[in-house]
Amino acid sequence: MNDQAPAAFPWPPYYGHFNFFEARMRGHGRIKAMSASAEGVYDLTLTTGVSIRVFICECYSFGAAEYVETTSKLGRLDAIIINSAWCGYTSDAKRTARAEKVGLYKIGDFMAALNRPNLWDYLNEGEKEAFKKKGWL
Amino acid sequence: MNQAANIYGFGSYFKIHAPPPNDIDLLVVHQDVSVDSISLALQCKAVLTKILPEAHITILSKEEERELEFLRRSQAALLNTVNSSNVSSTISELAKSLRPSRTADACSYPVPSLSVSDVHEGHVWNLE
């Protein structure tokens, strides 16, 4: 991967560190095949035969507006993964994505969601609580 | 409906005596997650990216910012407020104010000592 930070959409992969994601996917029992499609976009084939398109994001904080921007520029995605320990996403972004059957997760939750039939639907325990509190569940 | 968004600066570009970084971290805080509000925020990002290609731009609604406490955590400072009627002109002025400010030694808009109340809503810098 390129170590230079391109100015192109959407966020520069500051260190080009997709290696961690790739290693985790290679080690996941539900992943049959993986191919890099564009900067930060991967096509994964599950053992069920289903193909999913995921975007690896290294932004500081992923909000609802950034979800709109991402999908308008990259087209249909099945999952967006926030790939940095210091980065996160908002409840509104998660809710907006989920309503369109797009999963939004940190990498650990994506690993868990891959074991579910509807991976976009997955909420971790904290999110379940937060969504209930907001009246979204 | 006329929408508004606040633009904040944070990170090493805005710190006194920090080595001059290659990028400028900016945060756009817009009203809510309505279509109009998101549209304004994305318009701000597009104009900022065009004028300041070295800028890294984060976008959050007010509620999202409150959830993440981004302003407090990043010690972001309010740079300007953009309305849907003046996006290009306001951001052009903002860019002019930011660009010449940075020297190798210091930023001419130093971050002052901030109180908790200042940080909650972001600290306002005078860019004149």
Side-chain angles (χ1 to χ4, degrees):
Chain A
M1 287 288 174
N2 183 1
D3 281 346
Q4 297 300 309
F9 172 83
W11 294 273
Y14 294 107
Y15 309 108
H17 284 174
F18 296 121
N19 294 349
F20 179 73
F21 169 77
E22 291 181 4
R24 297 302 296 269
M25 291 303 102
R26 285 195 191 96
H28 199 291
R30 292 290 302 270
I31 303 294
K32 189 177 169 187
M34 170 175 60
S35 63
S37 166
E39 189 93 61
V41 178
Y42 285 82
D43 290 309
L44 304 177
T45 306
L46 307 185
T47 50
T48 55
V50 171
S51 290
I52 60 172
R53 176 160 278 211
V54 304
F55 172 59
I56 315 301
C57 174
E58 296 187 340
C59 60
Y60 284 120
S61 293
F62 192 86
E66 283 156 335
Y67 170 77
V68 171
E69 182 187 37
T70 300
T71 52
S72 71
K73 294 200 177 180
L74 296 180
R76 170 70 193 175
L77 296 166
D78 296 290
I80 298 167
I81 299 158
I82 310 302
N83 193 37
S84 298
W86 58 87
C87 300
Y89 54 84
T90 67
S91 297
D92 274 317
K94 176 85 179 182
R95 184 192 191 201
T96 305
R98 197 164 173 264
E100 296 183 356
K101 299 191 175 181
V102 178
L104 174 59
Y105 335 81
K106 302 279 277 192
I107 182 76
D109 286 339
F110 180 60
M111 298 287 281
L114 282 170
N115 295 312
R116 308 293 177 93
N118 295 322
L119 61 94
W120 53 268
D121 199 31
Y122 179 84
L123 296 172
N124 64 33
E125 290 307 311
E127 288 167 344
K128 281 181 194 167
E129 283 303 309
F131 272 46
K132 277 180 194 166
K133 216 171 177 177
K134 289 172 183 280
W136 296 348
L137 273 186
Chain B
M1 181 183 160
N2 195 33
Q3 294 281 339
N6 288 335
I7 300 176
Y8 296 84
F10 65 97
S12 54
Y13 186 88
F14 299 92
K15 286 192 170 35
I16 304 169
H17 302 313
N22 295 324
D23 49 23
I24 304 172
D25 289 313
L26 299 173
L27 168 68
V28 177
V29 177
H30 58 103
Q31 198 67 32
D32 53 42
V33 294
S34 66
V35 172
D36 286 349
S37 185
I38 285 178
S39 175
L40 173 64
L42 293 179
Q43 196 186 347
C44 288
K45 179 175 178 177
V47 176
L48 281 165
T49 303
K50 191 174 178 186
I51 298 176
L52 294 168
E54 67 273 41
H56 291 168
I57 298 146
T58 300
I59 305 173
L60 296 171
S61 70
K62 282 186 177 177
E63 176 61 30
E64 290 177 317
E65 187 287 314
R66 273 194 290 271
E67 178 185 356
L68 300 177
E69 297 184 279
F70 198 104
L71 294 179
R72 183 183 65 78
R73 288 169 189 267
S74 65
Q75 295 204 327
L78 181 62
L79 303 177
N80 215 329
T81 298
V82 175
N83 292 303
S84 43
S85 58
N86 66 8
V87 176
S88 294
S89 58
T90 303
I91 290 177
S92 294
E93 284 304 306
L94 173 62
K96 274 186 216 161
S97 302
L98 283 175
R99 271 245 170 79
S101 70
R102 204 59 167 89
T103 69
D105 298 322
C107 173
S108 63
Y109 307 124
V111 177
S113 298
L114 301 177
S115 69
V116 173
S117 60
D118 284 333
V119 172
H120 181 70
E121 290 299 329
H123 189 87
V124 181
W125 284 340
N126 180 4
L127 295 177
E128 296 305 316

